[in-house]
Amino acid sequence: MAPIRRRRALQLAGGSLSALVAGCVGGSPSAGTDEQTDTPTDEPTETTTDGRTETPTSATEVTGSEQVRYPSGPSEPDWAGADAVGHVALAASRERARALLAPFELPEARREPVVELLRETDFERSLLALVETVGPNGCYRTVEVSNLALSGDRLVGDASAVDESDGETACTEALTYPATLVRVTFDGRPPERATFTITDGWGESADVTGTVEDRIGPDPDDLAGHVRPDDDPVVREPLSCDREGFQRHGSWVDDPPWGLATDDDGAPTFALRVDRLEAGVGETVTVTMTNVGDGVLSTGNRHKYGLQTQTESGWEDVRGATDGDPLSYTDEAIGHAPGDGFEWTLELTEEGLVADHVHADRLVVCPDLEPGRYRFVFWEPAVAVAFDLVE
C-alpha cells in the first residue's frame, strides 16, 4: 500500500521541475522511468557576492527576501490532518533544496523563476523556506508571506492562503494545498529554525515550526503494510522442474535486510512493505518501496527483484527460463524523491508472477505454486519482505 502522502513521482520530461532543479543544484540520476538519461556532471559552486570565503558570524537581521509561488495541489500531502493549517520545511544546502523541490510539477511559466532563485542562492547567508497551507476551494492558489524577521535563534513571519477569486469566476469545490518558496537573506549565518504563523483558507491560524534537520522522507514506522510474518514458516522441499532446458533464476543477494535498506553510515534509505502477510493462489499482494531518506536517492530499475520461496536448500526463486540464454538487466539509476519509489502488484498465479516484467516473454514459474513462505527481494538496494501463500 502506498504511504499516506502526496505521491509526486520524479519525471525528467513534460513540465517537470526536477530536471531543471538538477541542473542548478547538481546532477540528478534518471528519475521515475526505466530509461537511461544523460545528466550534467558539473556541479555549480556556491559563491558570495562580496568575495568573502570565511564562515560568516550568526545573523542579527533579515536583509532581504524573495518569494516564488507554487501551484495549489488537489491531493492531500502527508502533513495534512484534521487540525493542521500548514507545514514549513527548510533548506540550508543545495542537496536539501533539491530533495524538497524535485517532486513538484510546475507550469512552464513558473519553472524558470524557481531555477533562477536557486542558482542565485548563497547558502552561507540565505535560508530557503517552503511554506504550505490548505484552502477550501480552487480559488486558493497561493500563499502570501510577510513580516519576516529574526527573533532570537529563529526566523519568524506570517503566511496566509490567498483567495484569488474575482467575484465572477466559479471556484471548484475541492480542498487545495497551495505552497510558496521563500528565500530569506541575512547579514550573517542563517538560523536553523523558522516559525511561521500560518492562516489557512478558513481563517484558522497556528504557529508552525520547521528546522533544517527535520525529516523530509516519511518515518519507516509510519508506513502502511508489513515486513514479514512473525511465526515460523512452512519450509518446502528443494524446488525441481521437469521442463527441458530450465534454468532457475539466480539471486544477486544472499542475505538482504528485512524491510529497510540503509546507507554506509546506517541511515535509512528505502523501506519495503507488503500489504498483506497471507494470501491464496489467484489473489494479489502489493509490494511498495519508499524513499525514507532526506534526499533524492537512486535505485536499480523496477525489474531487479527476485520472487523466492523458502526450501530446505534455502531461498529459491520460483521463476526461470528454458531457452538457455542468461537473463540480463540494464544498469541505469532511477531517482526517487523522498516519499516516492516503486510499487508492484503481483497476482499469485504461474502467469501472474511473470507478467509486467521486462523478461515476461521468457520467464516461467516451475514447479507450480505451492503453499509456503515467499520472499520478494529487491536487489539495488538489497531489501526484502515476506508473506505466506496458503491454500
Side-chain angles (χ1 to χ4, degrees), residues 256-286:
W258 290 106
L260 186 65
T262 59
D263 62 19
D264 293 340
D265 296 324
T269 56
F270 287 93
L272 201 65
R273 297 292 184 268
V274 61
D275 67 333
R276 55 197 303 186
L277 294 176
E278 188 175 278
V281 174
E283 297 180 333
T284 62
V285 296
T286 298

Side-chain angles (χ1 to χ4, degrees), residues 32-44:
T33 70
D34 289 348
E35 300 296 327
Q36 289 179 289
T37 306
D38 293 332
T39 56
T41 57
D42 294 332
E43 184 166 346

Side-chain angles (χ1 to χ4, degrees), residues 9-19 31 33 37 105 111:
L10 283 163
Q11 298 291 333
L12 284 182
S16 168
L17 176 63
S18 61
T33 70
T37 306
E105 299 289 336
R111 281 180 287 170

